[in-house]
Amino acid sequence: MMNKISKPQVEAELRKFVGADVYVHSEATSFVFVRNFKVNVTEALIAGEGRYRAALRFDGHGWLRMEELTHYEVDGRGRLLLAGYDDRGRMNVALHLGREPFPE
Amino acid sequence: MNEANLEPKLKLLAVFAHPDDESFICGGTFAKYGREGVDMTLVSATRGEMGRRMGNPPYLNRETIAAARELELQEACKHLGIGTLQFMDIRDKTVEFIDEETLTSRVESLIREIDPDVVLTFHEKFGGHPDHCAIGKATTAAFRRSASRGALYFITFGEAMKRPERYGYTRQDVVKIDVGAHLEAKLAAFRAHRCQTEIDEWVWLPDREALAHFGRHEYFLKGNTEAPQRSQHDLF
């Protein structure tokens, strides 16, 4: 079940990935997705109200930024699954972080 | 006990790209042949795990959608009388990037194993989605390589092939199936694909109103025109 983003909770969950090698699924639905990019996260940030922006700094010189995030879930495997839906349940964006590769 | 049971059953193999292709595009035809006792196998290249509709309000995400759509497809198959369901385990939206020969060989072995009377797939150019065209192209090549008998048909959308001339085809190229008696099963299959159809209010109206949204016919394009002329109203 996807929960509406609570900024303090998601911020705390993001922080757990800082300093670690992280596998990323990042997606702007219909246009692009990447799955299992592996990066070393140096900063993980969230900003905004209601519809949120998240950003990762990685590998000492990289950025990944996504906006329009609305929901999240920390699943049974400790993966942080962020997604942005429209008002009718269609997904626009996704940002998933995990310590193991996501199933291909 | 019944001699009819000893006759070899007619067999249909459908090779599609995503869960819901079978219900949304030609569910009435599956329901019809299912009820007539045709042995039907559906192969879905992907689990539709890159779909955009996540329930309304949303309850799925990228990591949970594959399992949900697999269950939905299993349920839809029950409503349509599809006895066997297989997945090719290709990631949604990547079918066109799979090595063509590999894909064709996989479908070819399925056709040889099942030995179907009818193969259904997408038209390689008019399929709509890149995954549809790619699986259609591979299945067409596989059919031509392997089928010693039987017929190939391309599934088509809605009533587009009511006037085939617009697409460079003639009436002789089209099979028109009357599915009027099987729309309840088609509606049940639509509803089985819950996360895909929750957004469509009409699907969830009272049955009578929802059923009014379906056309009475489904249309198929002949894929092997060299096959002997068949009825214009039956795939077999």
Side-chain angles (χ1 to χ4, degrees), chain A residues 76-96:
Chain A
R77 284 179 264 183
R79 307 182 299 189
L80 175 58
L81 314 178
L82 293 158
Y85 303 96
D86 70 10
D87 57 1
R88 304 186 72 202
R90 285 171 297 208
M91 204 180 79
N92 292 316
V93 292
L95 175 63
H96 296 182

Side-chain angles (χ1 to χ4, degrees), chain B residues 11-12 19 44 49 54 58 63 72 74 76 79 98-99 119 137 147 166 182 185-186 191 212 215:
Chain B
K11 286 183 282 188
L12 180 150
S44 183
E49 63 269 49
M54 309 299 254
E63 310 311 323
E72 290 179 348
Q74 283 169 6
H79 291 299
I98 300 296
D99 175 70
V119 175
K137 188 175 186 190
R166 291 179 185 177
H182 306 281
K186 183 169 175 171
R191 289 175 176 166

Side-chain angles (χ1 to χ4, degrees), chain B residues 163-180:
Chain B
R163 303 194 204 299
E165 307 81 24
R166 291 179 185 177
Y167 300 86
Y169 292 96
T170 69
R171 295 264 160 118
Q172 294 308 304
D173 301 318
V174 176
V175 172
K176 177 182 179 183
I177 306 282
D178 184 342
V179 296

Side-chain angles (χ1 to χ4, degrees), chain A residues 1-2 25 27 29-30 33 35 71 73 79 81 85-92 96 102-104, chain B residues 49-64 91-94 198-201:
Chain A
M1 201 64 205
M2 296 300 280
H25 172 97
E27 172 181 349
T29 302
S30 301
F33 76 89
R35 195 158 173 86
H71 289 69
E73 178 183 326
R79 307 182 299 189
L81 314 178
Y85 303 96
D86 70 10
D87 57 1
R88 304 186 72 202
R90 285 171 297 208
M91 204 180 79
N92 292 316
H96 296 182
F102 292 96
E104 193 185 339
Chain B
E49 63 269 49
M50 293 302 291
R52 194 179 174 213
R53 296 171 167 209
M54 309 299 254
N56 186 22
Y59 48 86
L60 297 173
N61 60 56
R62 267 295 160 261
E63 310 311 323
T64 56
R91 188 167 190 86
D92 189 2
K93 292 190 180 174
T94 67
E198 274 175 339
I199 197 170
D200 300 313
E201 284 89 356

Side-chain angles (χ1 to χ4, degrees), chain B residues 10-179:
Chain B
L10 290 171
K11 286 183 282 188
L12 180 150
L13 168 66
V15 188
F16 295 168
H18 310 115
D20 74 28
D21 292 337
E22 78 305 326
S23 298
F24 295 177
I25 303 172
C26 51
T29 300
F30 280 113
K32 168 185 153 72
Y33 288 118
R35 202 173 293 175
E36 290 175 12
V38 174
D39 187 349
M40 302 194 292
T41 301
L42 170 62
V43 177
S44 183
T46 80
R47 285 182 173 74
E49 63 269 49
M50 293 302 291
R52 194 179 174 213
R53 296 171 167 209
M54 309 299 254
N56 186 22
Y59 48 86
L60 297 173
N61 60 56
R62 267 295 160 261
E63 310 311 323
T64 56
I65 189 172
R69 294 199 68 181
E70 182 172 341
L71 286 174
E72 290 179 348
L73 180 53
Q74 283 169 6
E75 194 196 328
C77 284
K78 280 184 200 144
H79 291 299
L80 301 179
I82 297 170
T84 309
L85 169 63
Q86 289 184 39
F87 291 93
M88 295 181 84
D89 290 325
I90 297 169
R91 188 167 190 86
D92 189 2
K93 292 190 180 174
T94 67
V95 182
E96 64 180 324
F97 303 113
I98 300 296
D99 175 70
E100 206 173 313
E101 174 53 33
T102 308
L103 198 56
T104 302
S105 303
R106 286 187 68 182
V107 181
E108 184 183 353
S109 11
L110 278 167
I111 294 175
R112 289 188 188 282
E113 181 192 322
I114 294 167
D115 189 29
D117 298 275
V118 163
V119 175
L120 300 183
T121 192
F122 285 94
H123 190 285
E124 66 182 71
K125 287 199 186 70
F126 303 133
H129 185 291
D131 285 347
H132 294 171
C133 296
I135 200 66
K137 188 175 186 190
T139 303
T140 302
F143 177 85
R144 301 211 193 292
R145 262 168 29 179
S146 60
S148 50
R149 65 189 194 95
L152 175 71
Y153 295 95
F154 304 121
I155 58 176
T156 73
F157 296 90
E159 299 201 325
M161 285 301 152
K162 202 173 179 178
R163 303 194 204 299
E165 307 81 24
R166 291 179 185 177
Y167 300 86
Y169 292 96
T170 69
R171 295 264 160 118
Q172 294 308 304
D173 301 318
V174 176
V175 172
K176 177 182 179 183
I177 306 282
D178 184 342
V179 296

